[in-house]
Amino acid sequence: MDVLPIVTYNDPVLKQVAKPVTKDTPNLERFISDMFETMDHAKGLGLAAPQVGHSIRLFVIDADGLDEEDPSASTPIGRRVILNPEIVLESDDSITFEEGCLSLPDLRDQVSRASEVIVRFQDEAFETHEMTLRGWTARVFLHEFDHLEGILFIDRISAFKRTLHKAKLESIDANEVDAGYEVAPKTTR
Ligand code: ZN
């Protein structure tokens, strides 16, 4: 297994809509192992394929035990790989909470997301699952799903708040922020 370098803010691959994963996707098993290894190394709760430069609809998640004060508030989803996810239904009510992202090192802000979501996805054997997620698990799933749509959490905050992060975003873009894990060089654009 390899730890893959993580692509950071303003790299074009983070803005693309990712392509479906199929049984013909090359080296899928190995790639999934590398994704878990990379997520653990960077101490992430989730990692989407575009964050390591592969624009395919796959993410890994390890979102259990996140709500230690009230475990019942968060649906256990375990440590798993998610292929070709769909958001079936989002609740009308939302929760605002602080988020971070491995592609935005050293940047955090409050993001509003649906408190409950029904999702459908495939596992590594291409078996389909449907689940209702609440709390932290819903938040992490929605955050990773956004990556497959080319959306970062800073796209979900106000333009005013984004302005406050301008200097930090420029530093991340210039690879001047020490992430504490290996960051990919910016692709030419
Ligand atoms: Zn992220």
Side-chain angles (χ1 to χ4, degrees):
M1 288 192 287
D2 290 324
V3 171
L4 307 170
I6 293 178
V7 169
T8 56
Y9 169 73
N10 225 14
D11 195 296
V13 73
L14 295 175
K15 297 171 193 164
Q16 289 169 16
V17 176
K19 297 202 165 52
V21 178
T22 69
K23 287 175 180 165
D24 297 328
T25 300
N27 304 318
L28 187 58
E29 205 176 320
R30 172 64 193 253
F31 181 65
I32 291 168
S33 300
D34 290 347
M35 287 288 288
F36 278 115
E37 186 84 357
T38 305
M39 174 176 67
D40 291 346
H41 179 257
K43 299 184 171 67
L45 312 172
L47 179 70
Q51 293 182 276
V52 294
H54 290 262
S55 191
I56 58 173
R57 303 187 77 80
L58 180 158
F59 62 78
V60 290
I61 190 167
D62 190 359
D64 279 1
L66 289 175
D67 195 341
E68 287 167 6
E69 286 180 15
D70 183 8
S72 66
S74 189
T75 311
I77 191 170
R79 178 178 167 85
R80 61 168 82 216
V81 59
I82 306 286
L83 307 182
N84 303 318
E86 295 167 60
I87 306 299
V88 179
L89 197 64
E90 285 185 66
S91 64
D92 290 335
D93 60 319
S94 58
I95 299 176
T96 301
F97 211 85
E98 191 178 78
E99 286 188 23
C101 178
L102 295 176
S103 295
L104 293 162
D106 202 29
L107 197 158
R108 305 187 73 82
D109 208 338
Q110 304 279 324
V111 183
S112 173
R113 296 199 188 267
S115 63
E116 190 170 325
V117 63
I118 301 173
V119 298
R120 192 182 298 137
F121 60 88
Q122 292 170 309
D123 62 22
E124 60 270 47
F126 289 89
E127 297 284 336
T128 300
H129 303 262
E130 193 168 298
M131 285 185 188
T132 301
L133 305 178
R134 289 176 204 89
W136 262 111
T137 320
R139 175 170 298 272
V140 176
F141 198 102
L142 288 167
H143 177 116
E144 299 309 328
F145 180 84
D146 270 356
H147 277 299
L148 309 184
E149 297 293 305
I151 297 167
L152 296 174
F153 82 78
I154 46 156
D155 299 320
R156 294 199 175 274
I157 66 177
S158 70
F160 171 73
K161 286 176 81 183
R162 210 158 39 240
T163 306
L164 299 178
H165 293 305
K166 190 166 178 283
K168 177 57 67 68
L169 289 170
E170 284 171 1
S171 308
I172 296 170
D173 189 17
N175 279 6
E176 287 167 0
V177 174
D178 180 12
Y181 41 83
E182 195 188 343
V183 159
K186 290 292 190 296
T187 51
T188 45
R189 53 190 130 99

